[in-house]
């Protein structure tokens, strides 16, 4: 009798639609979104759910940031949030957690009407956010595990390296510099937090040594 009751409850259990996010992680990921782009779906932060949990993802096409919110298995779904309402919520909740509530039937819904998510701070501030149209890029093709040796020299745009460092500072203060490590001839990667739950990926410069400036020939 007890076993039958437990099984029935598990089958009818509602999927957890509440996600808890710290504003520092949200702000750090948002730094990697495009500011102006004809691909308007890049001017926002994507909530991505699946069997491995929920993630926050943003990209400008050259850099990508991924934050793992939790490891709760959910159906695959995406929702792209515009930057403006996120910036307002981040500004007024520097150190207070934010609860993000996904709509019912979040996964697998492709309706003409726009969906909404609810952002609620622990201070009681509530913001209803409408989704951006478009399909977010397949970020998992970039953010994949690679433990291979890196014998090749690669180069990174210094502006992207600054973005990585600034994003890490939004999450927490640290006594060491954030390192962007090369990934062969592919993307570089860096941990933005100590737990390894927030990661940045940086596209390398596409150039050979002959095409790049040589060491200065000045005499000191």
């Amino acid at each position: 009798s007890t076993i039958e009751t437990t099984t029935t409850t598990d089958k009818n259990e509602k999927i957890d639609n509440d996600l808890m996010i710290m504003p520092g992680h949200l702000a750090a990921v948002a730094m990697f979104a495009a500011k102006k782009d004809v691909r308007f779906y890049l001017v926002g932060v994507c909530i991505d759910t699946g069997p491995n949990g929920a993630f926050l993802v943003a990209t400008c096409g050259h850099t990508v940031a991924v934050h793992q919110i939790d490891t709760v298995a959910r159906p695959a779904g995406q929702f792209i949030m515009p930057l403006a309402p996120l910036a307002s919520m981040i500004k007024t909740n520097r150190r207070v957690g934010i609860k993000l509530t996904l709509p019912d039937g979040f996964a697998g819904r492709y309706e003409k009407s726009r969906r909404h998510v609810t952002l609620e701070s622990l201070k009681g501030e509530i913001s209803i956010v409408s989704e951006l149209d478009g399909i977010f890029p397949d970020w998992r093709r970039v953010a994949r595990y690679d433990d291979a040796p890196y014998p090749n020299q690669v180069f990174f745009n210094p502006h992207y390296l600054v973005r990585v460092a600034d994003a890490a500072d939004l999450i927490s203060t640290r006594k060491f510099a954030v390192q962007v490590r090369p990934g062969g001839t592919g993307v570089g990667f860096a941990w933005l937090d100590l737990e390894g739950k927030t990661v940045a990926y940086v596209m390398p410069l596409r150039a050979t040594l002959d095409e790049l400036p040589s060491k200065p020939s000045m005499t000191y």
Side-chain angles (χ1 to χ4, degrees):
S1 175
T2 304
I3 296 176
E4 291 178 358
T5 303
T6 303
T7 304
T8 303
T9 303
D10 291 342
K11 287 182 179 179
N12 296 331
E13 185 178 358
K14 185 178 179 180
I15 296 174
D16 185 5
N17 283 354
D18 291 338
L19 309 175
M20 292 303 301
I21 305 169
M22 290 304 295
H25 293 98
L26 182 57
V29 172
M31 287 187 64
F32 290 77
K35 302 303 180 285
K36 292 182 179 179
D37 201 300
V38 293
R39 301 166 294 179
F40 49 85
Y41 48 85
L42 296 185
V43 190
V45 176
C46 178
I47 309 167
D48 188 294
T49 62
N52 293 322
F55 300 84
L56 285 177
V57 190
T59 180
C60 64
H62 301 284
T63 59
V64 181
V66 182
H67 169 63
Q68 185 174 30
I69 302 171
D70 61 32
T71 56
V72 178
R74 299 180 179 85
Q78 287 190 343
F79 185 104
I80 306 174
M81 301 182 293
L83 291 178
L86 300 183
S88 177
M89 182 66 73
I90 292 168
K91 184 176 181 180
T92 56
N93 297 276
R94 293 289 185 180
R95 300 183 181 276
V96 179
I98 299 171
K99 182 175 76 172
L100 189 153
T101 303
L102 302 172
D104 290 333
F106 167 76
R109 290 184 61 184
Y110 298 95
E111 299 180 356
K112 293 183 179 180
S113 59
R114 291 187 180 181
R115 300 172 298 173
H116 303 81
V117 296
T118 302
L119 299 176
E120 181 179 358
S121 74
L122 298 184
K123 292 181 179 179
E125 180 183 354
I126 297 177
S127 177
I128 307 298
V129 180
S130 300
E131 69 178 327
L132 287 174
D133 291 331
I135 299 175
F136 203 76
D138 184 5
W139 57 274
R140 286 180 174 83
R141 294 180 59 186
V142 175
R144 58 187 179 184
Y145 182 74
D146 182 9
D147 198 24
Y150 309 128
N152 301 308
Q153 288 184 304
V154 292
F155 306 88
F156 300 104
N157 185 319
H159 296 292
Y160 300 154
L161 302 181
V162 171
R163 181 181 301 166
V164 169
D166 289 345
D169 288 340
L170 288 175
I171 297 175
S172 64
T173 56
R174 60 194 67 238
K175 296 182 180 179
F176 58 89
V178 177
Q179 298 180 353
V180 176
R181 302 186 181 188
T185 56
V187 296
F189 58 93
W191 284 11
L192 300 184
D193 57 15
L194 297 175
E195 299 78 18
K197 295 292 185 180
T198 313
V199 185
Y201 299 88
V202 184
M203 292 295 294
L205 293 175
R206 300 301 184 186
T208 65
L209 283 173
D210 294 337
E211 297 170 337
L212 294 168
S214 60
K215 186 170 65 174
S217 58
M218 295 180 290
T219 301
Y220 297 98

